[in-house]
Amino acid sequence: MLGNRRRLRLAVIGALVAVVALPSYAAYADDPTPPPPASVTDVKRSLEQLQAEAAAIQADFAKTTIAYTNALKAVQTTEAAAKKAEQYAASKKSVSDVERRKLGLVTAQAYQLGIPTVIGTESMLWSLAPIAENLQEIADRQAAIRQLGSTQVSQYQTATAAQNAAGTAADDAAKKRAAADQAAQTARTLGLEVKSKAAEASVAMQGQMADLAGASQLSSQLQNSRNAAAFAKWQAYLTDLAATKVIPPAAGTLRNPGKLPAGLKPYVAAGHNVPGAASVVSGGRTVRVLSAETIRAVNQAFSLLGKPYGVGATGPDKFGCLGAARVAWQPYAKLPNLISKVYPNYQKVPTASIQPGDLLLIGNRSIGLFHIGVALDGNEMIAADEAKGSVTVTNVPDNLYAALRPTLGQPTKPQRPPASTTQAYQFRCGNTSTSYDVGTGAWTWPIAEGQYEIGTPFGQAGPLWASGFHTGQDFVAPVGTTVRAVTAGTLRIEHPAWAGNLVRIDHGNGLETLYAHLSTITVADGAHVVAGQQIGAVGIEGNTTGPHLHFEVRLGGDAVNPMPFLATGSTSTGWGGYSNGMIPADKLCGISGGSGHMLRCDAAAAYQQLASAYKSQFGKTLCITDSYRSYSSQVDLYARKPSLAALPGTSNHGWGVAVDLCGGIDHFGTAQYQWMLSHAPVFGWVHPSWANQGGGREEPWHWEFGKPANA
């Protein structure tokens, strides 16, 4: 029975598809992606759960390493203060000794000359003590008389003042030495805790690695199921439309809701008539009518699902960010080669009335537009997704900038896109940059030290959150506790139901921070704030079980673990749904001559090209010592070299986009190093500024994969 109904539905849809002439649709419909078997969907540790668990482990380890790092800084500070105080005390002791010796000479000379002393017997003995063995030095009567130009009392006062100053300095030096010793002991204790936490984290991550391959396969199957489910919804719509006997009209006839063809009524969304669509009543139900061009575009978008992602690709085998949208809307609309150039050419529509087929432009004013998708119903879109490596059905992200409707033609008013920055490239097509430096190297924490307790960590899974996991870091504190901006930016006030009172600060370059559940907000909407400035106070507004601050960091609209930012001023974010250092081997690519070294596949391809050019120049194979580094190995390295290694979970080695090289490149100024500086960027490999000579962390051997010069 089900099979007969399914065949009937497909037959009706087939007739409708013939109207819009899309041969590829039938192939997709006849062979839909099967849902994953129950044994797969019942797996409790999905890729998303593993990612959340990994983030929670990393957050816990980050808390320990933050304390250890602060302790190491305290050791440096207190040790420097102690040494400075000891040097000062030594100089004061030296001055005191000199002044006391001068007093002794004056006293001895006065005694030899028979001049009465006025400083008392005890003080006289004190003054003579430093020269007791050198009284014979006072032999020249005339010199003694000249020496007595200064009175005994004056010299006595000078000597005692110097003695007191030396004593004060000695006491201060002793206190600072005790503080330095205490700081060193604290650091040793925390160092042991770091080693213990490192061992725990390493074991936990190794346990996750065993589940990773299966979870990766599950993630792919779930994505296929989502693609199929979205297509089934679209099929259902086409079936309903076919049942009305309405042939999808041309786009031009639907532009004006007030001048629709006979039998069609305006389609209403969010209380307004929708231009470019219409409606018809059939069997007591209102059915939306989309244009033939729109239906064709959506059908073509569905035909691309599962096709591999490729930077800048436009098919037929790979599709880049703009490529999928361009192919979907051909031949009706010819999209330009940059997303920012798409925006001025087609009419913008309200986000509340988005319809299937609309072009969804993702981005913001601080970095420009960097992602584009073809809209579906249910807050979904079809887009070429670099993070997932293919064209997929995915949620419309929070940072939707605008929706365009190609069937409405040119905009009625000029539409100017936000200026694009170099940071926009790092957020292309649903991916975020693999590393991000906030510039200052340090942040002010959102609540002052000693006024909070660490609450629910980022990444904790559970049904309490709509996303399935906790997207921020909670700081438990009493209502009214001051909440501060972590760094400078422009503030926006919002009142979503889940947060009650929310402050969102745009720091530029795609970076935002969010502060939720506030009891009060002490700054005006649109204000520019600086690091450490009070923006509000802790509260219990919105969905919360107790007073706390929910703090988020977002890059390109994606929530990332805030703890590395607070610890180091920078962080790393993911690609392909994996956590740093938790990427299965089948998602990485090896490099020839690399002795088992692995990189992200685009980085590996670029490395191979670089290696070939290097060999042509020097006649030798490019020497490599390190590439992809698992989280466990990052933890191990940090436990051994905390002052040198990156905080685990933040290293670009953990994303497979960093290498350590040798063979001369590992020394500044060599011919090999200079050649790399000149030629490596052409292949996308750069030497980061923090590793430059004189930068504090000099690492000539460290190179990272970024934007190729010819991209």
Side-chain angles (χ1 to χ4, degrees):
M1 187 71 176
L2 289 175
N4 291 335
R5 260 188 281 180
R6 179 176 181 274
R7 283 193 292 274
L8 177 61
R9 169 176 284 188
L10 290 177
V12 175
I13 296 174
L16 180 59
V17 171
V19 173
V20 295
L22 182 64
S24 60
Y25 170 80
Y28 194 91
D30 290 340
D31 186 23
T33 303
S39 59
V40 174
T41 55
D42 290 342
V43 172
K44 294 181 179 179
R45 287 161 63 84
S46 68
L47 183 61
E48 290 74 17
Q49 287 174 310
L50 283 171
Q51 184 182 19
E53 290 173 18
I57 292 171
Q58 291 171 354
D60 182 60
F61 187 69
K63 286 185 287 186
T64 305
T65 53
I66 287 168
Y68 182 44
T69 300
N70 289 339
L72 291 177
K73 292 178 181 177
V75 169
Q76 294 176 339
T77 301
T78 56
E79 181 63 25
K83 287 183 176 178
K84 184 177 180 180
E86 287 167 349
Q87 291 172 352
Y88 181 74
S91 68
K92 286 299 181 183
K93 177 65 166 57
S94 177
V95 170
S96 174
D97 290 345
V98 169
E99 296 301 330
R100 188 174 172 188
R101 181 176 177 79
K102 287 180 181 179
L103 177 61
L105 292 172
V106 170
T107 302
Q109 291 167 355
Y111 178 78
Q112 286 187 334
L113 295 173
I115 299 174
T117 182
V118 295
I119 62 174
T121 303
E122 183 176 348
S123 297
M124 178 178 168
L125 293 174
W126 176 77
S127 67
L128 290 173
I131 64 162
E133 298 177 358
N134 300 292
L135 292 178
Q136 295 302 318
E137 294 177 6
I138 310 171
D140 190 308
R141 186 179 180 83
Q142 295 302 317
I145 292 173
R146 286 195 302 272
Q147 179 70 37
L148 288 176
S150 298
T151 65
Q152 292 180 69
V153 172
S154 175
Q155 184 58 45
Y156 177 72
Q157 291 173 342
T158 299
T160 53
Q163 176 76 0
N164 291 337
T168 299
D171 290 343
D172 182 59
K175 291 178 182 177
K176 288 180 176 175
R177 171 50 58 193
D181 292 343
Q182 179 59 48
Q185 180 57 45
T186 299
R188 284 192 291 271
T189 301
L190 289 173
L192 294 175
E193 186 175 352
V194 164
K195 290 183 182 296
S196 175
K197 288 282 187 182
E200 293 174 4
S202 182
V203 169
M205 287 297 191
Q206 287 172 0
Q208 286 190 332
M209 288 298 291
D211 296 334
L212 200 55
S216 180
Q217 293 177 357
L218 170 63
S219 179
S220 296
Q221 289 180 300
L222 291 176
Q223 181 62 61
N224 290 339
S225 291
R226 181 173 189 178
N227 294 349
F231 184 64
K233 285 190 220 173
W234 179 245
Q235 285 179 312
Y237 163 71
L238 294 180
T239 300
D240 289 342
L241 182 57
T244 67
K245 308 298 184 181
V246 172
I247 297 176
T253 65
L254 298 182
R255 288 180 182 172
N256 187 346
K259 297 181 179 180
L260 295 173
L264 297 181
K265 295 182 178 181
Y267 181 71
V268 179
H272 298 280
N273 293 341
V274 177
S279 66
V280 62
V281 176
S282 175
R285 296 174 56 237
T286 298
V287 179
R288 177 176 52 196
V289 178
L290 297 173
S291 70
E293 293 86 348
T294 299
I295 292 174
R296 178 184 177 86
V298 176
N299 281 337
Q300 291 192 148
F302 271 113
S303 75
L304 302 180
L305 288 178
K307 297 283 188 179
Y309 172 84
V311 177
T314 57
D317 298 322
K318 292 184 178 181
F319 294 87
C321 194
L322 189 59
R326 181 187 286 126
V327 170
W329 271 100
Q330 287 177 344
Y332 179 77
K334 296 182 179 180
L335 304 186
N337 60 353
L338 291 174
I339 297 175
S340 60
K341 292 183 178 179
V342 174
Y343 183 64
N345 292 341
Y346 298 99
Q347 178 62 49
K348 182 171 67 171
V349 296
T351 55
S353 62
I354 289 173
Q355 301 299 312
D358 289 349
L359 294 173
L360 305 182
L361 307 187
I362 315 302
N364 58 46
R365 293 193 179 278
S366 67
I367 60 174
L369 305 175
F370 50 80
H371 193 21
I372 186 169
V374 176
L376 303 174
D377 283 323
N379 197 41
E380 291 186 323
M381 68 179 185
I382 295 175
D385 193 322
E386 183 183 21
K388 296 180 180 178
S390 64
V391 181
T392 67
V393 173
T394 185
N395 284 346
V396 177
D398 291 342
N399 53 346
L400 172 65
Y401 184 81
L404 309 180
R405 190 160 296 151
T407 57
L408 298 183
Q410 291 284 332
T412 55
K413 297 180 180 179
Q415 296 173 180
R416 295 182 178 85
S420 182
T421 71
T422 55
Q423 290 290 338
Y425 179 84
Q426 300 184 53
F427 299 102
R428 65 188 186 274
C429 306
N431 198 8
T432 52
S433 55
T434 49
S435 67
Y436 197 100
D437 189 344
V438 299
T440 62
W443 279 14
T444 299
W445 282 54
I447 298 179
E449 185 68 30
Q451 296 185 12
Y452 64 85
E453 294 181 2
I454 295 293
T456 304
F458 174 87
Q460 181 166 312
L464 294 176
W465 305 287
S467 64
F469 72 97
H470 193 228
T471 55
Q473 174 64 58
D474 287 350
F475 294 87
V476 179
V479 172
T481 303
T482 295
V483 174
R484 311 178 298 188
V486 295
T487 191
T490 301
L491 178 145
R492 190 165 78 246
I493 297 173
E494 301 174 4
H495 301 284
W498 70 270
N501 295 320
L502 175 95
V503 163
R504 181 191 299 264
I505 302 179
D506 184 350
H507 305 288
N509 292 339
L511 172 66
E512 293 179 311
T513 53
L514 279 66
Y515 312 74
H517 310 310
L518 301 178
S519 59
T520 58
I521 298 174
T522 56
V523 284
D525 189 50
H528 182 79
V529 294
V530 298
Q533 180 177 337
Q534 181 176 0
I535 58 173
V538 172
I540 54 174
E541 305 300 314
N543 298 334
T544 176
T545 57
H548 72 277
L549 169 69
H550 173 88
F551 174 69
E552 287 192 21
V553 174
R554 293 193 178 187
L555 287 177
D558 294 331
V560 298
N561 191 348
M563 295 302 280
F565 266 112
L566 296 173
T568 66
S570 65
T571 193
S572 298
T573 56
W575 59 271
Y578 304 104
S579 296
N580 186 287
M582 294 292 293
I583 303 172
D586 64 347
K587 301 301 180 183
L588 298 168
C589 291
I591 54 177
S592 60
S595 301
H597 287 289
M598 306 285 284
L599 292 170
R600 197 173 73 183
C601 291
D602 56 344
Y607 180 89
Q608 295 290 82
Q609 295 174 335
L610 172 64
S612 178
Y614 181 89
K615 189 170 185 178
S616 296
Q617 176 68 23
F618 295 101
K620 295 182 179 179
T621 301
L622 190 56
C623 179
I624 180 171
T625 61
D626 200 5
S627 55
Y628 171 70
R629 191 180 293 161
S630 69
Y631 185 80
S632 295
S633 62
Q634 292 180 55
V635 168
D636 178 67
L637 181 61
Y638 188 89
R640 291 184 287 108
K641 300 177 180 179
S643 61
L644 296 176
L647 182 70
T650 69
S651 171
N652 270 349
H653 284 288
W655 294 124
V657 291
V659 293
D660 291 342
L661 303 177
C662 46
I665 299 172
D666 48 341
H667 296 284
F668 292 110
T670 63
Q672 293 86 349
Y673 178 80
Q674 293 300 330
W675 184 91
M676 286 287 292
L677 283 181
S678 299
H679 297 86
V682 175
F683 304 98
W685 287 92
V686 295
H687 191 246
S689 58
W690 59 261
N692 286 342
Q693 195 166 16
R697 287 181 58 193
E698 299 180 346
E699 295 187 9
W701 55 82
H702 183 84
W703 295 77
E704 297 181 353
F705 182 68
K707 179 181 179 181
N710 57 3

